Amino acid sequence: MKMLRKVLVFFLLLALLLITIQAATAAVVINEFMANAAGAGTDPAREWIELYNTGTNTVDLTGYTLNDGEGTFTFGAVTISAGGFIVLVNNQAEFNSVHTLPSSTQAVVYGALAPALELSDAGDELSLNDSTAQVDRVTYTSTNDGKTIGREVDGVGALVELTQVSPGKANKLPDITVPTLIDFGEVER
């Protein structure tokens, strides 16, 4: 009986270890979003939110929720591959009129299922949650017309205004202008 108990405990610990390893290698984050689409009358129809899987395993998003404090979207049967993107769009036709996703990126429409989920131009907080805990959260103040906010490097780093709108693609950082050095000659003392 003691041997059976030891074997059972061993397999339970092994299963827990495997679950922990899988969780540690699969992390989905809010990577980029469009809160203030260019053009009058297009908000919120052209809003979108990009998720990125920083892990090495595919993540099943079934039952995950995305919340902005006013509206909540619950994911159906959706997976995101390792190193892959998913773009949540408010309105598929409006999104497609402006953007083209890579074939490897899936679009998930949330607008009709969570009409209260709208990204405020003046700032908002987005929270991504699995069935037990908060997975990621981003907070922003305001956005410029037609610009996106995203992570400096896909999956990590601070949120910045990106120079290139890139749903389903790697983020492009703002261009850095290097100041020109002026040679004033040698200073006499």
Side-chain angles (χ1 to χ4, degrees):
M1 188 69 166
K2 283 187 175 185
M3 182 58 122
L4 180 60
R5 184 175 289 161
K6 286 182 180 181
V7 170
L8 183 59
V9 168
F10 171 77
F11 281 108
L12 286 173
L13 289 173
L14 181 62
L16 183 61
L17 176 65
L18 291 175
I19 290 169
T20 303
I21 289 171
Q22 182 176 5
T25 61
V28 178
V29 297
I30 301 165
N31 198 53
E32 182 181 0
F33 53 91
M34 170 69 74
N36 189 0
T42 58
D43 280 354
R46 289 190 182 167
E47 292 178 355
W48 53 268
I49 303 155
E50 175 190 85
L51 303 181
Y52 177 67
N53 181 354
T54 65
T56 56
N57 294 323
T58 296
V59 176
D60 183 357
L61 297 175
T62 304
Y64 274 55
T65 59
L66 183 70
N67 183 301
D68 76 338
E70 295 178 24
T72 299
F73 171 72
T74 302
F75 287 83
V78 176
T79 60
I80 182 170
S81 61
F85 299 94
I86 284 184
V87 178
L88 298 138
V89 299
N90 186 315
N91 180 299
Q92 185 78 57
E94 285 290 330
F95 179 85
N96 290 344
S97 72
V98 180
H99 306 289
T100 302
L101 289 177
S103 60
S104 60
T105 301
Q106 179 181 358
V108 175
V109 180
Y110 70 86
L113 301 172
L117 179 62
E118 291 185 12
L119 304 178
S120 171
D121 297 351
D124 212 339
E125 178 177 287
L126 290 170
S127 174
L128 180 66
N129 306 285
D130 65 15
S131 61
T132 60
Q134 187 176 78
V135 175
D136 191 27
R137 182 186 76 183
V138 296
T139 303
Y140 64 98
T141 52
S142 64
T143 62
N144 290 316
D145 195 35
K147 300 288 185 178
T148 59
I149 295 176
R151 298 192 186 267
E152 291 177 319
V153 177
D154 287 323
V156 296
L159 294 175
V160 296
E161 185 175 276
L162 300 173
T163 56
Q164 183 178 1
V165 175
S166 59
K169 302 173 195 152
N171 291 348
K172 180 168 173 45
L173 288 174
D175 295 327
I176 298 172
T177 304
V178 177
T180 304
L181 296 177
I182 301 172
D183 183 4
F184 288 105
E186 209 170 298
V187 178
E188 291 184 33
R189 293 187 187 185

